[in-house]
Amino acid sequence: MDLDTSLLHQTGMMMEILPHGASYWVGDGFPVRNLFPSNGLGNARLSPFLLLDYAGPARFEPSEKPRGVEVHPHRGFETVTIAYQGSVAHRDSSGASGVIRPGDVQWMTAASGVVHEEMHDPEFSRAGGDFEMIQLWVNLPKADKMSPPKYQTLESSKIPVLPFGAQGFLRVIAGDYEGNQGAATTFTPVGVYDVELQAGDQDTLTLNPAYNTMLFLRSGEVTLNGEQKFAGEAMLALVPRGVSEVKIEAGKASKFVVLTGEPIDEPVAQHGPFVMNTREELVQAFRDFQSGKMGQLPTKG
Ligand code: MN
């Protein structure tokens, strides 16, 4: 360890910066790079977040048959999809459905269980084009895991946009940012802020030091706290606990997402699309899905 690094560790400001982990396809519509948990990051560091997949940017050729993920279940948490390029159509067993377009966010609370499909919007499929989304999984506390499913479509126009840097912006998708309430309703304190900066922009991000916080860089180059370069594509920076401010300077046009939340201090038992507290609850989730208790999709009308 060189001197600079040890000093940064002493001040608690050094951030761990990680490239993406596994790359895989989700169905035939989402070519993703996984930011976590495939980097080996455990629940203590991630909670309340469980998973972050970055789909694209990728170009899709025109197709009459929409690509995507066919019917599958979830229980015990929330899936949050942020659309940047392209459109996704969703239908679930609670009867909810909708299309999200660039700038929109879909915040689906699976809770006691839904089955759903996530497909490219037919219009987008027919035209083809550039596609870029993220999907984030947010855990629910034990008390809410079996609450009724819920679905929030957060249209771009409903998401508060704050200036950040001279030419940049910060969208408050969820949580409270400096007194500005985000668009989403959450079960535990969770902040999701979508930030875009132009080269030369600088500002200071304020954070709750008791939360787990991560910065997900879609693309660009920023300097953190005047010292640490955070650059490239699909990168993750872990902000140490106890930090309440991060100074950000953009060397290039940059796009990143701030994920911050109060850790849920409960055991996590996860298998595939089910995230519960115990193994017994996972077994029950499989039984309930297989016996149809999570419902089924309404037939297409
Ligand atoms: Mn899903």
Side-chain angles (χ1 to χ4, degrees):
M1 184 185 290
D2 64 25
L3 183 63
D4 282 355
T5 310
S6 78
L7 284 172
L8 285 164
H9 272 296
Q10 282 171 24
T11 59
M13 296 300 285
M14 189 71 178
M15 297 186 205
E16 195 178 344
I17 293 179
L18 302 167
H20 68 86
S23 299
Y24 46 86
W25 280 81
V26 179
D28 64 359
F30 304 90
V32 309
R33 288 175 278 183
N34 179 266
L35 277 301
F36 56 81
S38 72
N39 264 316
L41 297 168
N43 183 59
R45 186 60 191 83
L46 297 176
S47 181
F49 306 105
L50 297 162
L51 171 144
L52 178 62
D53 273 346
Y54 183 36
R59 173 130 197 121
F60 281 90
E61 296 306 318
S63 165
E64 281 305 313
K65 185 182 176 298
R67 303 175 181 90
V69 203
E70 305 285 346
V71 179
H72 60 278
H74 293 291
R75 172 180 279 182
F77 63 103
E78 301 182 290
T79 68
V80 178
T81 307
I82 306 175
Y84 293 109
Q85 301 184 75
S87 312
V88 167
H90 155 276
R91 297 192 307 139
D92 73 38
S93 52
S94 75
S97 66
V99 176
I100 54 165
R101 299 185 170 82
D104 300 340
V105 177
Q106 173 200 88
W107 196 292
M108 187 191 78
T109 306
S112 64
V114 296
V115 298
H116 74 160
E117 62 174 24
E118 298 161 274
M119 307 298 289
H120 294 189
D121 173 46
E123 213 172 290
F124 171 79
S125 290
R126 274 193 291 275
D130 293 322
F131 190 86
E132 183 186 6
M133 313 247 154
I134 69 174
Q135 186 164 90
L136 173 71
W137 290 10
V138 180
N139 205 0
L140 289 172
K142 185 175 177 56
D144 296 310
K145 280 187 182 294
M146 293 302 283
S147 62
K150 189 170 114 179
Y151 181 77
Q152 302 172 71
T153 299
L154 311 173
E155 286 167 8
S156 181
S157 61
K158 306 277 169 54
I159 298 172
V161 186
L162 311 174
F164 198 77
Q167 313 159 83
F169 63 82
L170 181 151
R171 300 198 306 150
V172 191
I173 293 172
D176 175 281
Y177 189 77
E178 296 184 342
N180 300 278
Q181 194 55 45
T185 304
T186 65
F187 286 78
T188 60
V190 172
V192 178
Y193 318 132
D194 196 31
V195 183
E196 294 196 16
L197 300 176
Q198 298 301 316
D201 280 344
Q202 47 181 291
D203 211 326
T204 299
L205 194 63
T206 61
L207 297 167
N208 184 324
Y211 288 3
N212 274 330
T213 300
M214 291 156 275
L215 310 180
F216 164 58
L217 187 67
R218 288 162 57 206
S219 64
E221 178 191 308
V222 297
T223 303
L224 305 173
N225 293 320
E227 294 179 298
Q228 214 178 348
K229 192 179 265 194
F230 184 37
E233 210 184 279
M235 303 288 288
L236 194 69
L238 304 175
V239 180
R241 211 71 86 74
V243 168
S244 54
E245 285 190 349
V246 178
K247 195 176 159 215
I248 299 190
E249 300 162 82
K252 294 180 182 165
S254 299
K255 301 170 181 180
F256 64 93
V257 184
V258 181
L259 304 175
T260 185
E262 185 177 85
I264 299 171
D265 188 17
E266 293 174 352
V268 172
Q270 175 170 3
H271 195 90
F274 306 126
V275 183
M276 305 302 290
N277 300 110
T278 68
R279 203 189 120 69
E280 291 68 32
E281 290 165 346
L282 283 181
V283 172
Q284 190 62 49
F286 272 99
R287 278 203 199 110
D288 289 350
F289 168 57
Q290 280 165 352
S291 63
K293 284 191 183 149
M294 292 182 191
Q296 55 187 8
L297 282 192
T299 34
K300 276 180 189 165

